[in-house]
Amino acid sequence: MSRSKNVAVWLIWLAVFPTTLAYLYIAIEPNFSGYWLDLLAFAIVVCAVAAFPIQVGSITIFFINGVSFAVFLYFGLFAEIIITQLALVALFIKIRLKKSEFHRIATNSTMLLLTSIFAAVVYYALGGNHGVLSLSTLDEIIPLVGYVVGSIVVNQFLLTIIDVYVKGNKFTAVPKSLFIDSLTTAMITPIGIILYILYLEIGIPGILIVSFPAILLSVVISTYHKGRRVNTYLHETSEIGHELSKKLNVKDVLDTFIARVQKLIPMSYIYVYDITNSTQSMHLIRYVDSEGKEKADEMSLSYGEGFAGQIYKKQKASIILKRNQLKSIPGIELPEQVHSVIGVPILRNNNVVGVLIIASKQVRAYEKYHLMLLEILGNFLSVAIENARHYQSEKNKSQRDRLTGLYNYRYFTEHLEEYALDLMEKGLEEKLSVILFDLDSFKKLNDTYGHEAGNEVLVELARRLEEYVGDRGIVARYGGEEFTVLIKDIEHEEAIKLAEDIRFMIAKDPFVVYDHMIEGEDSVKVYVTASIGVATYPDHCESPEELIRQADRSMYVGAKRSGKNRVASAAVAM
């Protein structure tokens, strides 16, 4: 809530509540002489009932209507107002109202006051009285019905005002709270009537006799609802696990996990750390706040450092609900605004491989079941990341050249065929160029410096190619000392220029090798050249599948046989 609305809510309460209560006291002149113990008993019961609320979305339900109804029938409006306000205090103590929600004290207090007054006005207008009532005639029953209906109507009217003008939500003609309020009132009102009748008959013992099942009902329903809520969370947690299992790379796993957990558990920040056990260091691999902002700079922690480091060190989950508990942790990494935090270790084969942290700016934002949910989610995350890494590893083995890390011949040809088929099926015309080159006199290099030195040259060449080509094309090791580059959607002349640049890049700077056969030298500079062939579809062939053959032919016929260290075009070789 904005500061201006917060101030407005409290100003309305200050203007309405004290003056109205004072006016009612003067106007009604209540006299409770001889009934203080009775009222104390009602107050204790109503506070006990209020201590077991049920949270349905943003709606908090507490079953005080029956007790307050009995108090109203016998003692009148003023006593009923005091009783309901005491119940409200007990409720807020029980739910540990957060500082940012203090406005609820003013809104709910004002709402209960106005509801009590309006329902009483309806009751009096229909001829209702207080004290000893038989509740057996229409003259007494009709005011009772008017009181109940009136309280529901004004309560819903005030809830709508708060929802729309205070919370800023959209207006709903038939709000969900109407059904909940009506159902609750229908269930509790008979208990209130029974409480009233027993109080008339046997006094305070009657309060205790009826109140015990009323409190028990509140406890049972509250516990049942909490259990249902936890079961719902567990079901959603299971769905997250299934969704994560379908992701095949670590980035998708983390993106999905963050998005789903943000909706499941209230949080201001979420941190995911990856652990390198050999150095006992922790690296932040994902961070998102409640506004969707990600941390730009890298963040690392050592073993035992900060809250996350403590989770790593102790290898067990932890929950903190107050800021002062965080201050004692050495090297605390969490923002000063954080008051509540949960951390769980991410385990794999009984080893801590990561740490998952969620934090909130609210005091006591989490309960024990949140910790349980996060532990389950941490296990799901661990398995999903492991599966994604295994899949990526197997994929790399099948697609990548083991020595250079470039794509291999198989992947290159399959990608070319699939891309060409996709173009054909979509009816698109797009030029594809293949640059194929072979290192000149590479056998002589191996004979002179050794095969390990030759491998060093190939690895360094692969690095240079990937860096130079970048996202302009796909680089692959075609086999041995042959490499190829696939370029999409450029003219043949541009492809030739790129090939010339690659040839110059290879020949210009020497390759430094260390694992060589030259005695007395730590490192040796080796100069390498390449013969390059270029072919473009559809300029030089009728199908993309022929591109590699045309590029290979132009390389040997137009470059190798013409003196090496040059670029040849399929247009000349044809």
Side-chain angles (χ1 to χ4, degrees):
M1 179 189 289
S2 66
R3 182 178 178 83
S4 58
K5 285 185 178 180
N6 201 0
V7 171
V9 164
W10 279 106
L11 287 175
I12 291 171
W13 182 85
L14 287 171
V16 173
F17 189 85
T19 53
T20 303
L21 204 62
Y23 171 78
L24 289 174
Y25 183 81
I26 295 170
I28 296 173
E29 296 183 355
N31 182 11
F32 304 131
S33 181
Y35 291 99
W36 291 110
L37 282 178
D38 303 54
L39 288 170
L40 178 61
F42 276 115
I44 292 171
V45 170
V46 82
C47 289
V49 172
F52 297 95
I54 296 175
Q55 193 72 31
V56 181
S58 60
I59 305 168
T60 302
I61 303 170
F62 57 125
F63 300 107
I64 66 164
N65 305 47
V67 181
S68 63
F69 187 39
V71 171
F72 173 77
L73 289 178
Y74 193 84
F75 294 101
L77 174 61
F78 190 82
E80 190 261 348
I81 289 174
I82 299 300
I83 288 291
T84 54
Q85 294 296 323
L86 286 174
L88 190 63
V89 172
L91 170 69
F92 287 144
I93 292 174
K94 176 61 170 58
I95 65 176
R96 296 174 178 178
L97 199 65
K98 304 175 183 67
K99 186 176 180 180
S100 62
E101 296 180 325
F102 277 3
H103 66 274
R104 290 177 59 186
I105 297 174
T107 55
N108 284 272
S109 177
T110 306
M111 186 178 72
L112 284 178
L113 174 68
L114 296 178
T115 300
S116 296
I117 293 172
F118 184 84
V121 168
V122 175
Y123 181 78
Y124 298 140
L126 295 174
N129 293 305
H130 299 295
V132 179
L133 305 172
S134 66
L135 303 181
S136 59
T137 65
L138 282 177
D139 290 342
E140 292 179 334
I141 292 174
I142 289 175
L144 290 181
V145 174
Y147 177 89
V148 172
V149 173
S151 65
I152 293 174
V153 170
V154 72
N155 190 54
Q156 288 303 307
F157 175 74
L158 294 172
L159 279 175
T160 300
I161 291 176
I162 292 171
D163 201 46
V164 174
Y165 293 102
V166 177
K167 297 181 181 179
N169 297 327
K170 290 183 65 176
F171 172 76
T172 305
V174 184
K176 181 181 178 181
S177 58
L178 176 60
F179 171 76
I180 296 173
D181 197 10
S182 301
L183 185 64
T184 304
T185 303
M187 183 171 57
I188 295 301
T189 299
I191 295 178
I193 294 174
I194 294 171
L195 174 60
Y196 170 74
I197 293 172
L198 275 179
Y199 174 69
L200 289 181
E201 295 295 327
I202 57 177
I204 292 179
I207 299 174
L208 300 178
I209 290 171
V210 177
S211 298
F212 177 74
I215 295 171
L216 185 62
L217 179 65
S218 296
V219 173
V220 170
I221 294 178
S222 177
T223 304
Y224 171 76
H225 181 74
K226 189 173 182 179
R228 284 285 301 272
R229 184 171 55 180
V230 172
N231 287 337
T232 300
Y233 281 143
L234 287 172
H235 178 70
E236 291 182 19
T237 300
S238 177
E239 287 185 347
I240 292 173
H242 286 303
E243 190 171 350
L244 292 178
S245 66
K246 299 175 184 177
K247 303 302 176 182
L248 299 179
N249 66 70
V250 175
K251 182 180 182 302
D252 286 347
V253 168
L254 289 171
D255 287 345
T256 302
F257 181 82
I258 296 293
R260 292 297 303 270
V261 172
Q262 280 183 305
K263 295 179 181 178
L264 182 66
I265 301 177
M267 67 182 69
S268 303
Y269 310 93
I270 182 166
Y271 302 78
V272 181
Y273 290 91
D274 189 50
I275 291 176
T276 305
N277 282 304
S278 59
T279 59
Q280 292 191 322
S281 58
M282 307 173 60
H283 303 282
L284 185 65
I285 59 174
R286 191 55 59 92
Y287 161 93
V288 178
D289 64 18
S290 55
E291 297 178 356
K293 295 179 181 178
E294 299 185 10
K295 209 173 191 69
D297 54 330
E298 293 185 4
M299 181 175 170
S300 298
L301 296 173
S302 58
Y303 183 74
E305 182 186 5
F307 181 70
Q310 290 290 308
I311 300 296
Y312 177 25
K313 183 178 180 180
K314 296 176 182 178
Q315 298 190 18
K316 64 178 183 180
S318 177
I319 179 170
I320 290 177
L321 301 177
K322 292 183 179 179
R323 178 70 195 182
N324 56 8
Q325 293 175 280
L326 289 170
K327 292 178 180 178
S328 60
I329 298 175
I332 186 66
E333 77 281 17
L334 299 169
E336 291 184 1
Q337 302 94 321
V338 168
H339 288 275
S340 304
V341 60
I342 300 177
V344 299
I346 300 174
L347 301 172
R348 189 177 305 133
N349 299 324
N350 293 323
N351 292 319
V352 181
V353 296
V355 173
L356 174 61
I357 304 290
I358 64 168
S360 173
K361 297 177 183 178
Q362 307 297 334
V363 178
R364 300 186 186 92
Y366 304 116
E367 298 183 41
K368 288 184 179 179
Y369 72 85
H370 286 124
L371 184 63
M372 175 193 70
L373 292 175
L374 203 62
E375 286 185 294
I376 296 172
L377 289 167
N379 291 332
F380 285 151
L381 181 62
S382 173
V383 172
I385 289 177
E386 177 70 9
N387 289 342
R389 284 175 173 168
H390 177 73
Y391 172 82
Q392 199 63 44
S393 174
E394 293 300 313
K395 182 179 178 182
N396 286 340
K397 287 178 183 178
S398 65
Q399 294 183 348
R400 296 281 180 173
D401 173 59
R402 185 169 296 181
L403 176 65
T404 63
L406 297 177
Y407 288 115
N408 55 27
Y409 166 80
R410 176 184 173 184
Y411 173 81
F412 186 85
T413 54
E414 287 179 353
H415 176 77
L416 179 59
E417 291 171 4
E418 289 173 2
Y419 190 79
L421 180 62
D422 185 58
L423 289 177
M424 183 183 69
E425 289 177 346
K426 292 178 180 178
L428 300 176
E429 293 185 3
E430 183 179 299
K431 292 196 174 186
L432 299 175
S433 298
V434 166
I435 300 171
L436 182 66
F437 60 92
D438 179 83
L439 297 183
D440 299 323
S441 305
F442 195 72
K443 182 179 182 303
K444 182 179 178 181
L445 186 151
N446 282 332
D447 292 341
T448 304
Y449 300 102
H451 287 279
E452 293 302 322
N455 286 341
E456 285 189 72
V457 170
L458 295 177
V459 171
E460 173 60 18
L461 176 58
R463 186 195 66 78
R464 291 187 190 181
L465 283 170
E466 281 198 312
E467 187 177 293
Y468 184 76
V469 175
D471 57 4
R472 291 181 293 177
I474 295 175
V475 183
R477 185 184 180 192
Y478 198 65
E481 65 271 21
E482 289 187 332
F483 294 81
T484 187
V485 181
L486 174 65
I487 307 294
K488 301 171 183 177
D489 201 25
I490 66 170
E491 295 296 329
H492 182 63
E493 291 73 17
E494 294 179 73
I496 291 176
K497 183 180 183 305
L498 179 59
E500 238 352 301
D501 292 341
I502 291 174
R503 183 199 65 77
F504 180 75
M505 180 264 293
I506 294 172
K508 175 176 174 288
D509 297 318
F511 292 79
V512 180
V513 296
Y514 298 89
D515 195 357
H516 55 79
M517 298 189 303
I518 307 300
E519 295 184 3
E521 298 288 342
D522 291 333
S523 62
V524 176
K525 292 182 179 179
V526 178
Y527 285 88
V528 178
T529 62
S531 298
I532 304 177
V534 185
T536 300
Y537 166 83
D539 298 1
H540 309 126
C541 53
E542 295 181 356
S543 68
E545 291 82 355
E546 297 178 29
L547 263 176
I548 297 175
R549 187 168 67 252
Q550 291 295 340
D552 186 61
R553 181 170 179 269
S554 63
M555 179 184 71
Y556 277 101
V557 174
K560 285 284 186 186
R561 294 180 184 177
S562 301
K564 302 179 182 179
N565 190 25
R566 63 186 61 202
V567 175
S569 168
V572 178
M574 289 178 67

